[in-house]
Amino acid sequence: MAKIIYTHTDEAPLLATYSFLPVIEAYASTAGVEVETRDISLAGRIIAQFGDRLSETQRIDDALAELGALADEPDANIIKLPNISASTPQLKAAIKELQEQGYDLPDYPESPATEEERDARARYDTVKGSAVNPVLRQGNSDRRAPAAVKNYARTNPHSMGAWSADSRTNVATMGADDFFSNESSVVIEGDDQLTIRHVATDGSTTVLKEAFGVLDQEVVDASVLRAAALDEFLAAQVQRAKDEGILFSVHLKATMMKVSDPIIFGHVVKVFFADVFERFGDDLAAAGLSPSDGLASIFTGLKELPNGAEIRAAFDAAIADGPELAMVDSDNGVTNLHVPSDVIIDASMPAMIRTSGQMWGPDGGQADALAVIPDSSYAGVYQAVIEDCRAHGAFDPTTMGSVPNVGLMAQKAEEYGSHDKTFEIASAGTVQVVDGSGAVLLEHEVQPGDIWRACQTKDVPIRDWVKLAVTRARASGAPAVFWLDESRAHDANLIAKVKRYLPEHDTDGLTIEILPPAEATKYSIERLRKGEDTISVTGNVLRDYNTDLFPILELGTSAKMLSIVPLINGGGLFETGAGGSAPKHVQQLVKENYLRWDSLGEFFALAASFEHLATTAGNARAQILADTLDRATGTFLQENRSPGRKLGTIDNRGSHFYLALYWAEELAQQSEDAELAAAFADVASTLRADEQTIVDELLAVQGSPADIGGYFRPSGDKATAVMRPSSTLNGVLDTLSV
């Protein structure tokens, strides 16, 4: 039997799965397609790491490892929903919830001192940050706005803030002594084993990473961000924001860059509150209160300290005396510095740009802001968009073009694969990357506190990335621009490879450019304003940034993108969009039984999954399901059946009902398979006849609190009851068979 793997993830996407998966299973069964689930949620990943401590009924398999192996198989067909890329505070919160649910898990050891604590820390570190995506993404990324979504956005434009030519919003970045400026890169000649070591000034050597394999023609990079320069830069930006009378904000990726960016975030907190840490730093450290965890964690911990009130008063005084902080939640006093995972650059910067270049301030109003992005590798992208909006005003969703993306991400490519090779340096000396013969390939002088990292990019993914870029340019007719800067060491090596591999493909009549990121941005947005499309062909981090930046401007959200990952060995991974708003949706559901999560990304991924299955397995009915689902999704958009914004309108569950209705009607009307049409004729007519009854049943539950049994690990029975409240709809799905 043909098979689709549907992932159980976290937060709003997980809750939506309880409602939508029964529809998928029922409809897929008519094509002989089995839908299986795998739990790759944060809680599930934690539990899988500690099976030796749990009862037999609590243990679960390591689904992520299983899917990682499956992704290398030619028949892989995986639908991957957004998951939590856990920061340390999120990880600790998930552990606490699981402990309260009866799981015998150790606390997260901040400073492991025993062998048992070191073992626990190592297990938890496999779960933290971007633990899922590098494992599953064994192919490069093809991400674009489906035509139906783009057309809907043009006829039903989302709101855009009005930009002023006098806007004082800007990006601040280091430009020196950061990862960009200190990067060195080498192309490996022949398979080898590399080791990373620290040679102290006294000559003693410490191995930071034991020998790891590299392949012939692999690109290996190393760089260092200097802590002293970072602190000097940050202090200048705090003063600049105060002098200019604008909000201070920092924009990092403390989830995906799970080692480097939390450290950088901690530097921001320490510099902003320099006087507080000078007076009370020893007290905070002794209590295990780290600036890298943010103000929320510190403030909670202060309640347990004898002088906690005094320290809290010092923090409050520093906030009052410094520049105004950008806010995550003005009503509840949650600042930009409260939680490292609250302000994720690829979501926060596009939101700022969309809303006139402003962020929320302490007074609950919007104001211009200084966006601090310490490393300068990609900061110029956002500055270029800001300058364009300052000069030309906000973009117009009714006329603007599109910037689809082809992203290099296969096999842990580039910075997002650097976690196990990133270190906060303990002592002065030199960090070296040496090959199997002991020869030094890359090295940097370092001082205590510096952040050093290395990363790998294999040749096969690069070659595949070039092929995918040409394929998309040929299919769409749009120019393809490689966002690569020859002045950056890594990019210079990639440019040489791109120029070597492009002649392997038919590029006649295609426009293919290579431009530095800031110049590529200007080129793309100039075309964007003319209503023209431009393919951005980028590395892994810019893939992440661009597939939020441009969709949020074009469509109002990045959750409605078609995201296909053609796996290198022939399988398919189909992603359903971003999950940045997922936490707020869960809070609303628990409070008033209303889920605003939009499953449109799931609809597109499912159609692409069926289409892939039809091609690889020769399943004609799977192709019919794909084609009819595409048409049903078009009707869904035309009829505006996405979740509403307030109680009394249909939410996520209602949107699933209407998708099921339109899909059934399309299946009943198709002429390729009479038996299939006959089976869905009854379903379609019943759903249409019972439309009001089903809607009434779905609306009736709104307004009261909902008990789902947990945030990180909801109870399956409770979540099912909450997300499937229409007995009429449930009954129709239960009767479907062919």
Side-chain angles (χ1 to χ4, degrees), residues 621 664 667-682:
R621 280 191 171 175
L667 282 161
Q669 294 164 14
Q670 55 80 28
S671 58
E672 292 94 332
D673 188 317
E675 183 183 15
L676 197 62
F680 276 98
D682 289 340

Side-chain angles (χ1 to χ4, degrees), residues 152 560 594-600 603 633 635-645 649-656 658 662:
Y152 179 82
K560 298 180 179 180
Y594 189 89
L595 187 67
R596 272 188 59 195
W597 177 256
D598 191 339
S599 290
L600 196 61
F603 304 163
T633 303
T635 303
F636 176 94
L637 287 168
Q638 292 168 9
E639 297 295 325
N640 196 22
R641 298 303 187 182
S642 290
R645 290 185 169 272
T649 60
I650 63 164
D651 71 348
N652 177 264
R653 295 162 288 194
S655 71
H656 293 159
Y658 277 106
Y662 300 145

Side-chain angles (χ1 to χ4, degrees), residues 14-15 18 43 94 96-103 586 589-590 705-723:
L14 171 61
L15 294 173
Y18 284 104
K96 184 174 185 294
E97 179 179 301
L98 289 170
Q99 290 171 336
E100 292 170 348
Q101 292 178 352
Y103 289 87
V586 180
L589 176 83
V590 171
D707 179 12
I708 57 175
Y711 183 91
F712 294 98
R713 191 164 186 79
S715 158
D717 290 341
K718 289 182 177 180
T720 297
V722 168
M723 294 304 300

Side-chain angles (χ1 to χ4, degrees), residues 513-556:
E513 305 276 359
I514 300 175
L515 295 172
E519 294 305 312
T521 305
K522 295 174 184 177
Y523 175 89
S524 300
I525 58 181
E526 181 180 347
R527 291 176 52 82
L528 197 70
R529 287 190 181 274
K530 297 177 182 177
E532 299 172 336
D533 301 342
T534 312
I535 302 168
S536 65
V537 188
T538 71
N540 205 349
V541 174
L542 269 178
R543 169 202 59 79
D544 208 8
Y545 292 5
N546 283 7
T547 56
D548 274 306
L549 172 61
F550 293 107
I552 286 173
L553 297 177
E554 294 173 35
L555 313 174

Side-chain angles (χ1 to χ4, degrees), residues 365-393:
Q366 289 183 292
D368 293 342
L370 183 65
V372 177
I373 305 173
D375 180 45
S376 58
S377 296
Y378 310 114
V381 169
Y382 295 115
Q383 182 66 29
V385 180
I386 288 170
E387 290 174 357
D388 180 86
C389 289
R390 191 155 38 223
H392 304 293

Side-chain angles (χ1 to χ4, degrees), residues 42 45 64 83-88 90-91 124-134 253-259 262 416 419:
L42 173 58
R45 302 193 317 265
L64 179 58
N83 64 279
I84 292 175
S85 294
S87 64
T88 300
Q90 286 175 304
L91 180 58
Y124 281 133
D125 282 352
T126 67
V127 173
K128 197 165 61 174
S130 181
V132 172
N133 291 338
K253 189 79 169 181
T255 50
M256 300 286 274
M257 302 304 293
K258 63 183 179 183
V259 178
Y416 279 177
H419 315 311

